[in-house]
Structure formats: C-alpha cells, structure tokens
Amino acid sequence: MNRYTYVLGGIVAVGMAAVLAGGVMAQTQGAELVKQRKTEMGQMSKAFGPLIAIVKGESEDFAAALESAKTMNTNAKRIVANFSAGTGREAVPQSRAKPEIWTKRVEFEAAAAKLVEESDKLIGAVNSKDVQTFRTQFKAYGAACGACHKGPKKSGGKFRFEEEL
C-alpha cells in the first residue's frame, strides 16, 4: 500500500467515527429531552393541587394558585419544543410518547397552542381572585389539557404517553 491509501483510509475512519459519535450524541440529547419533558409534565401534574383546592372550596390561597398557574404556563410554552423530532421511541426507547405526536404534528401543535392560551387566561383568572371566574377558566384549562390526555387510560389519550404494560 502506498502512502495515499493510508491517508485515505485514515480520513474514512475519522469520518466514520464522527458519524457514529454524532449518532450517540443525538441519542443522548434526545434522552435528556425526554427526561426534561417528563419532569416538566410531573411539575404540571403537581401544580394542579392548589388549583383544585380552590375549585373544591377547600382553599382560597390564590398566592399558591398563582405559582401553580405560572408553572403550568411556563411548561405549556415548552411542550412543542420538548417533543421535537428525534425524541420518539425509534430514537429514545425509554420514551412513551405516542407516534401521533409526530404523525399528526399540526393537530398536536394546535392543541399545545390552545393549552398555552388557556394557561395565559388561567393566570388572569387567578389574579382576579374571584372564585367563580377562576373555576370557569380552570374548566377551560382542563379541557385544553384533555385535548391531549383524554381517552381511555390504557390508550393514554390522543397524544399522551402510552401506558406501560
């Protein structure tokens, strides 16, 4: 073999290593994003507590409700980015996100936009400190959540993660 062959072989080897490393890095970034979205969805779930307490008449702690509404609003604004391409099960096996998030992307993004809109209004309703105004908006916010999460538990809802078996 001549020197040209060795140099060419070295270039090909370095190129292959870069491609493989890029694939591993992309999978790692996807796994981190899946972890982040699970964390943020968990925060949203926990944030329901102070809101539900007001709806049930068990509390009038609008300060705690405001913090919850802000958490929901902040995280709602990140939903589309948190479900970016390359974070489904084909790339990140521990993801339980349903394929419809990507195959029905326009519908998914519209549902996420509606959630942001209703969470903006939820902050306003909390700030009003009027229980009836709050209850009405909380119901609208819940319907926006349900756009992705409603359906039989086994199915996980329209876009919601699939239940583990």
Side-chain angles (χ1 to χ4, degrees), residues 21-156:
V24 168
M25 189 179 335
Q27 187 175 22
T28 300
Q29 290 170 339
E32 285 301 313
L33 193 54
V34 167
K35 182 179 175 183
Q36 179 178 321
R37 73 184 179 220
K38 286 180 179 181
T39 297
E40 290 178 8
M41 289 292 185
Q43 290 169 346
M44 291 174 81
S45 179
K46 184 178 178 182
F48 268 102
L51 303 173
I52 291 171
I54 291 174
V55 169
K56 290 181 173 181
E58 298 169 356
S59 170
E60 288 190 19
D61 186 354
F62 284 99
L66 182 59
E67 289 307 308
S68 290
K70 286 179 179 178
T71 295
M72 291 183 164
N73 184 256
T74 298
N75 292 359
K77 290 176 180 175
R78 298 181 43 77
I79 287 174
V80 171
N82 281 343
F83 286 92
S84 62
T87 61
R89 277 180 260 161
E90 73 288 345
V92 185
Q94 67 268 31
S95 172
R96 296 187 309 160
K98 293 177 81 172
E100 289 82 356
I101 289 170
W102 296 277
T103 61
K104 296 181 179 182
R105 192 63 181 191
V106 171
E107 192 177 338
F108 173 73
E109 288 184 12
K114 181 69 173 170
L115 183 65
V116 170
E117 176 186 329
E118 296 301 339
S119 67
D120 285 338
K121 292 177 185 176
L122 186 64
I123 290 172
V126 171
N127 281 328
S128 77
K129 296 185 179 169
D130 178 76
V131 175
Q132 192 53 47
T133 299
F134 171 76
R135 284 181 179 150
T136 300
Q137 184 51 40
F138 182 78
K139 185 176 180 179
Y141 178 80
C145 284
C148 290
H149 290 276
K150 68 182 174 186
K153 184 171 180 166
K154 184 178 179 201
S155 79

